[in-house]
Structure formats: C-alpha cells, structure tokens
Amino acid sequence: YWALRWAGDYPPVVMYSDTIRQLESVGSAALVDHAVIDQLVDAYRALRHVAHRLALEERPGVVDEAAFRTERATVAAVWERVMVAGEAPDAL
C-alpha cells in the first residue's frame, strides 16, 4: 500500500520490487517512523527464514498457528492503524 501511496511523490519507494527494500525506502523518505519499518522488516525476515527452511526440507509451507504470534500482532496493529483507523503515516 505504501509503495503505491507514495510512488508519485517519492519514486525511490518503487525502485525495487522486493518488500524489504520498499519498506526501507518508505523509512528513508521519513514517511513512516523507522521503528515501525524495523518491526515490519523483522517480521518479514522471520517469516521468510522459516518458509525457506521448509522449502529446502521439502516440507509444506504451513506453520503452526502459534508461530509468529508476536510478529502477527505487530503487523495486525500497523494494519489496523493505517488501513482501518486511517491514522496518518507520520503518526506511526
């Protein structure tokens, strides 16, 4: 969402197609607080780490519901603030 939201005003946001660099570019442009960006990047890296390990082990990419509880809560809170409550990005 953020990449599309600010692409016209901040072209570096869409210079890359990968999630981490897009998030980092949003942070670099000071559109969203760096602490929020760091939390989202950490959650994404944790998920991708497990997904890659499962793929290498030729196991299904499904994890237990209890996995990533903290990360899911973090992402859900950001989603709620941005997409549902419409909180201004600079307030994040």
Side-chain angles (χ1 to χ4, degrees):
Y1 165 75
W2 288 332
L4 294 174
R5 164 73 176 81
W6 290 305
D9 296 326
Y10 302 96
V13 171
V14 291
M15 263 179 66
Y16 305 103
S17 61
D18 63 283
T19 302
I20 291 175
R21 286 188 290 183
Q22 284 182 340
L23 284 168
E24 289 173 345
S25 67
V26 167
S28 294
L31 299 170
V32 175
D33 185 82
H34 283 282
V36 173
I37 297 300
D38 291 343
Q39 290 175 328
L40 294 174
V41 167
D42 290 347
Y44 184 76
R45 282 188 173 137
L47 173 66
R48 295 307 303 158
H49 174 78
V50 170
H52 289 155
R53 188 183 74 232
L54 291 171
L56 289 170
E57 294 172 358
E58 297 182 357
R59 294 174 42 202
V62 178
V63 295
D64 185 83
E65 184 178 331
F68 304 110
R69 183 170 282 143
T70 301
E71 292 87 350
R72 285 196 334 258
T74 297
V75 173
V78 172
W79 175 271
E80 178 73 25
R81 290 164 54 194
V82 173
M83 302 304 283
V84 178
E87 191 169 320
D90 58 354
L92 292 176

